[in-house]
């Protein structure tokens, strides 16, 4: 019952926040291209899933591959290509797109925006050399006085947030682009909005709804997964200039409001504890 109430609350919040909905074809070409590239298609089970990086999307892609026989299991220890054996709505013709939007079950999973940004920062700049070279070196060059020869592996969270402040949201990398821009919930009428905070329950609900075989289970989190705990979030929020966080929230305000997430507590009292 509690899960059903939460699901209904998310959907009502989204409907109220969107007001009069625009259709997909009313979006700009750039906006439409982004959402179509993030909508994964299952014709066999008649659903569309808008994947959001840093919201368990790798495991959802594993589930899709298992459902369509491209993988034997969703074992997280198995390496996975993020594009092969997957069908994207962007690959289809307009009439095919319209039919699936009108007739398929559509779902998306969301996450607290600040936690998602912190997860992306820790993963991409702490572990992924490609991101350190592609983004980290430039971020340090732009925002650090006397940067020297940084390899991009020492980007601070404050430098990352300053970079996001200067970025056009529609041109951001998908790992930190707002969920609103990735999935356009006011243009695509999602039937279900799951949350990272209730991942197991909400994933099971989706699998049951699409009538997935009982043998298909949502994968366990990777054993090497380094979660954003309340303590970790507290540390980063309270060691980042308050004004920087307040300014950045404007760019992600739709993710907070439409998906019913509270704004982060950055008061002096909160940070003293």
């Amino acid at each position: 019952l509690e899960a059903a109430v939460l699901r209904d609350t998310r959907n009502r919040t989204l409907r109220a926040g969107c007001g009069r909905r625009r259709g997909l074809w009313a979006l700009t070409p750039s906006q439409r291209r982004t959402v179509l590239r993030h909508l994964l298609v299952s014709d066999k089970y008649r659903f569309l899933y808008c994947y959001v990086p840093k919201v368990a999307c790798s495991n959802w892609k594993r589930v899709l591959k298992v459902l369509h026989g491209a993988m034997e299991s969703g074992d997280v220890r198995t390496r996975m290509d993020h594009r092969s054996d997957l069908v994207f709505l962007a690959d289809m013709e307009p009439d095919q797109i319209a039919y699936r939007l009108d007739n398929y079950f559509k779902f998306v999973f969301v996450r607290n925006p600040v936690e998602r940004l912190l997860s992306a920062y820790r993963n991409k700049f702490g572990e992924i050399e490609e991101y350190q070279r592609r983004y980290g070196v430039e971020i340090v060059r732009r925002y650090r006085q006397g940067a020297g020869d940084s390899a991009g592996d020492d980007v601070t969270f404050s430098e990352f947030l300053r970079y996001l402040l200067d970025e056009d949201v529609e041109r951001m990398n998908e790992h930190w682009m707002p969920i609103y821009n990735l999935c356009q919930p006011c243009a695509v009428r999602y039937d279900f909005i799951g949350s990272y905070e209730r991942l197991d329950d909400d994933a099971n609900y989706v699998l049951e709804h699409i009538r997935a075989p009982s043998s298909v289970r949502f994968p366990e989190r990777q054993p090497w997964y380094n979660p954003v705990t309340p303590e970790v979030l507290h540390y980063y929020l309270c060691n980042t200039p308050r004004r920087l966080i307040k300014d950045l929230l404007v760019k992600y305000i739709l993710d907070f409001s439409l998906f019913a997430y509270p704004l982060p507590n950055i008061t002096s009292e909160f940070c003293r504890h």
Side-chain angles (χ1 to χ4, degrees):
L1 179 61
E2 179 187 358
V5 170
L6 286 171
R7 289 195 290 267
D8 184 58
T9 299
R10 284 198 296 267
N11 282 309
R12 282 191 285 106
T13 301
L14 179 59
R15 285 196 296 270
C18 286
R20 184 176 179 180
R21 287 176 179 268
R22 301 183 297 166
L24 180 75
W25 309 108
L27 299 174
T28 68
S30 174
Q31 292 170 334
R32 188 164 58 248
R33 186 164 51 248
T34 296
V35 66
L36 290 177
R37 287 175 175 173
H38 284 81
L39 280 164
L40 287 160
V41 182
S42 171
D43 285 329
K44 183 177 180 180
Y45 290 90
R46 296 177 66 84
F47 70 77
L48 301 177
Y49 158 60
C50 188
Y51 81 85
V52 178
K54 308 312 297 178
V55 192
C57 75
S58 295
N59 281 348
W60 272 116
K61 289 175 180 177
R62 287 187 173 90
V63 168
L64 263 77
K65 292 191 180 202
V66 171
L67 287 173
H68 293 89
M71 290 178 67
E72 290 187 7
S73 79
D75 190 334
V76 296
R77 292 168 294 185
T78 305
R79 288 185 61 84
M80 181 193 65
D81 187 288
H82 282 254
R83 296 202 66 83
S84 67
D85 300 310
L86 294 169
V87 178
F88 297 82
L89 205 56
D91 300 330
M92 298 184 171
E93 298 299 323
D95 61 330
Q96 298 173 319
I97 292 171
Y99 175 81
R100 286 160 178 79
L101 286 171
D102 288 342
N103 293 283
Y104 282 16
F105 177 71
K106 298 173 290 295
F107 70 95
V108 59
F109 273 68
V110 300
R111 184 179 187 179
N112 180 297
V114 176
E115 288 188 15
R116 178 172 170 252
L117 286 180
L118 182 52
S119 177
Y121 162 76
R122 295 171 78 208
N123 173 235
K124 300 308 174 189
F125 298 107
E127 302 171 7
I128 312 297
E129 188 176 342
E130 176 190 350
Y131 276 76
Q132 295 166 1
R133 291 197 309 266
R134 182 176 177 184
Y135 295 98
V137 171
E138 177 63 17
I139 290 172
V140 171
R141 187 191 66 79
R142 279 198 219 173
Y143 301 107
R144 186 183 304 171
Q145 291 185 339
D149 295 325
S150 170
D153 58 351
D154 60 345
V155 175
T156 68
F157 190 55
S158 294
E159 289 167 343
F160 176 55
L161 298 191
R162 289 180 65 190
Y163 165 73
L164 295 180
L165 268 178
D166 291 339
E167 284 289 283
D168 178 349
V169 292
E170 292 189 14
R171 297 177 180 273
M172 283 182 175
N173 179 280
E174 64 176 11
H175 289 85
W176 43 81
M177 181 182 283
I179 298 173
Y180 179 87
N181 298 83
L182 288 172
C183 294
Q184 294 292 341
C186 292
V188 176
R189 188 179 291 274
Y190 291 98
D191 300 291
F192 178 73
I193 303 164
S195 75
Y196 189 81
E197 295 74 21
R198 294 184 56 85
L199 181 58
D200 291 337
D201 287 343
D202 285 353
N204 288 335
Y205 173 86
V206 170
L207 291 174
E208 183 177 337
H209 185 90
I210 64 173
R211 298 184 178 179
S214 59
S215 59
V216 177
R217 300 289 183 187
F218 194 77
E220 300 280 341
R221 284 194 174 100
Q222 294 91 331
W224 58 87
Y225 176 67
N226 189 14
V228 176
T229 63
E231 294 75 21
V232 169
L233 184 63
H234 181 281
Y235 172 82
Y236 278 95
L237 286 176
C238 295
N239 286 279
T240 300
R242 195 172 303 169
R243 172 52 57 189
L244 188 55
I245 295 173
K246 287 183 176 179
D247 289 345
L248 187 70
L249 294 181
V250 176
K251 282 199 165 181
Y252 293 86
I253 197 63
L254 288 175
D255 283 3
F256 283 103
S257 60
L258 292 178
F259 305 127
Y261 284 108
L263 295 176
N265 187 350
I266 51 174
T267 62
S268 299
E269 182 179 358
F270 172 75
C271 288
R272 276 199 296 269
H273 298 291

